[in-house]
Every structure is written in structure tokens, then in C-alpha cells.
Amino acid sequence: MLPWLLSPAFNLPFLGGPQEYQVLVALGCSAPRHVQNGYREMLAHEVLPRLLARVTETQVRLTLAPITGRSYTAPARVLETPNPLHSGRFQLEEAKKTFQKEALRAFDELRKRAIAECSRGTEIIGALKAAGERARKPGRILILAHGFEQSELMNLYDYRLKLEKREVRQSLIQRVQARLGLPRLKDQEVCIAGITAGDDNNANARLTGSIKAFWEELIQASGGRLVGYGTTPRVCPFL
């Protein structure tokens, strides 16, 4: 499977530059087309309108990146709105329309590349690691994915993991640290949405509750904070 990312800071342009958002989206061979289309709808109707509502007061920089089986090297696109201190209202309104179109076009282009280069598995941890390396300052990261890591590090679909036990989750985090290194998420707020996308039969309450605990502990160990987790980006307080 393959996901995407968002990250910002609520500073006015003259107080610290653009608000930084990263959006990581599950794409490629492990996310069915209808699930990917659902993420596109979330981006178009729930994420971008909330970001663009801010552009009259602050500049917004958005980084889009896919979560794939090659998340460490997956391509990313960066889009930026004009500085409102140097732009008229009409110019900003036109910029909002252009930004929306370019963001969705970037999604479609990244999806084509992700599908062409896809490999088995969902490297959400690798995508988080890449996002942490891209972060320039305190920011916010949105992951649009079902939440199941399926990589060489672990397979969270596996009921035999007994993920409900804290010692098991800590052991997996230690494995990440030893084999990959923890993501650098200091001062990053992370939200995971789309957690039941695809109506997966394995996404029952016990397993998904344990997976939420795992992500919360991994992100905390990486210096960040999980601020939202659910089916829709509306659970993300920074949107």
C-alpha cells in the first residue's frame, strides 16, 4: 500500500514564513483504485478547502508525497501560495483556484509514478522518515492510509503479533530503531485519516485499536505527537 503527507505551523508570514504541511497518501499496488479515489476526494473536498481558507492571512506550503513500497525515495511535489502581504485579494482568490488544480494534478501524476514503480507492501514508517527529513520547522503531517504497515519491518495485519500487548509494540519500535532508525519528528503534529478505507475485513475494533496505540507510541518515540486518528481528515485539529 502507499500513503501521503501534510505539515504546517500557524505563523503569520512576517513572523516565521509559510505554514508547512505535508500530505502522505497511500497509492500504488497495495491500495485498490477505489481506495485511492477516496483519498483524492478527501484531498479535494476536506483537506485543500481548509488549507486554502487561510491564504488571505498566511502563506501555505504543501508537500505531497506517496506512501509506497519505496517510500524512502518516493517523489514529492511542493506547492506554495503567494505571500498575502504582497498580494491583493483578487490575486489570492485566483491563486486558490490554481493551487487546488495543481494539487490534484500533482496527486494524479504521483499516482501514475507510484503504480509504475510499485512494489509489495506499505511503508508508512519509511514515508514518515522521509517526511521528517523534509521538515524545515515545526509542522503538521497528514497521512491518508488504512494504517497497516506491511514492510520488511513488520506486518500489522498479522494477528499473531498480539499487538494489544504494550511489550510487543515496544519490541517493534525497537526493531524500527535498530534496522531503519526512528523518523525525526520533533515538533511535528501527525494525523492519520482513512483508517477504515476499503472496508477491510481485518479492520476490526480490536486490531485497529492496537494499531492506533502502536502509531501513537512510535510517533512519540520519534519526538512527534499523534493528534488525530480516524476515517476522515475532519479528525485532524490542524485542518
Side-chain angles (χ1 to χ4, degrees):
M1 153 171 177
L2 314 151
W4 302 56
L5 207 154
L6 271 176
S7 35
F10 278 79
N11 299 327
L12 292 174
F14 50 85
L15 293 179
Q19 294 183 12
E20 299 276 351
Y21 293 81
Q22 291 196 60
V23 180
L24 303 177
V25 183
L27 295 173
C29 49
S30 64
R33 185 79 180 189
H34 72 278
V35 173
Q36 297 173 26
N37 290 342
Y39 295 142
R40 193 183 192 279
E41 289 299 303
M42 289 181 189
L43 184 66
H45 301 296
E46 298 186 64
V47 177
L48 292 173
R50 286 171 170 80
L51 294 185
L52 293 176
R54 301 192 175 102
V55 302
T56 56
E57 298 176 355
T58 190
Q59 194 172 10
V60 171
R61 182 182 293 124
L62 170 66
T63 300
L64 288 172
I67 299 172
T68 72
R70 302 170 61 175
S71 292
Y72 312 99
T73 58
R77 282 287 307 276
V78 180
L79 302 170
E80 193 169 281
T81 63
N83 187 325
L85 292 182
H86 306 144
S87 308
R89 181 167 293 275
F90 177 78
Q91 182 183 359
L92 290 173
E93 290 301 320
E94 290 301 307
K96 287 161 83 171
K97 298 175 185 177
T98 301
F99 191 96
Q100 173 100 2
K101 291 178 182 178
E102 289 183 352
L104 296 176
R105 186 180 300 119
F107 177 99
D108 293 335
E109 291 172 355
L110 289 170
R111 170 155 61 178
K112 288 179 183 177
R113 290 191 59 178
I115 291 173
E117 299 174 358
C118 74
S119 60
R120 295 183 62 186
T122 303
E123 294 187 351
I124 299 175
I125 296 172
L128 270 174
K129 189 171 177 66
E133 292 171 356
R134 282 192 296 263
R136 304 181 185 184
K137 60 181 181 180
R140 297 182 173 101
I141 295 169
L142 169 62
I143 299 175
L144 295 177
H146 57 41
F148 292 101
E149 173 88 6
Q150 294 172 278
S151 66
E152 293 181 358
L153 291 169
M154 67 194 71
N155 177 11
L156 295 187
Y157 268 117
D158 188 352
Y159 281 80
R160 295 169 298 177
L161 283 177
K162 298 188 182 302
L163 201 62
E164 67 274 9
K165 296 183 177 180
R166 189 175 189 278
E167 60 267 27
V168 172
R169 300 194 299 270
Q170 290 301 306
S171 176
L172 291 175
I173 292 171
Q174 290 169 11
R175 181 189 301 176
V176 172
Q177 187 167 21
R179 296 180 58 180
L180 180 64
L182 293 175
R184 295 199 297 264
L185 299 177
K186 186 178 184 299
D187 298 326
Q188 300 298 307
E189 293 183 358
V190 180
C191 181
I192 303 177
I195 199 63
T196 59
D199 299 318
D200 197 299
N201 291 331
N202 288 324
N204 62 57
R206 181 177 66 85
L207 184 58
T208 54
S210 300
I211 290 175
K212 178 183 178 181
F214 169 76
W215 289 119
E216 191 165 25
E217 291 165 12
L218 174 77
I219 291 166
Q220 184 177 23
S222 302
R225 187 163 62 97
L226 182 66
V227 297
Y229 189 90
T231 61
T232 166
R234 290 192 294 272
V235 303
C236 305
F238 53 72
L239 289 179

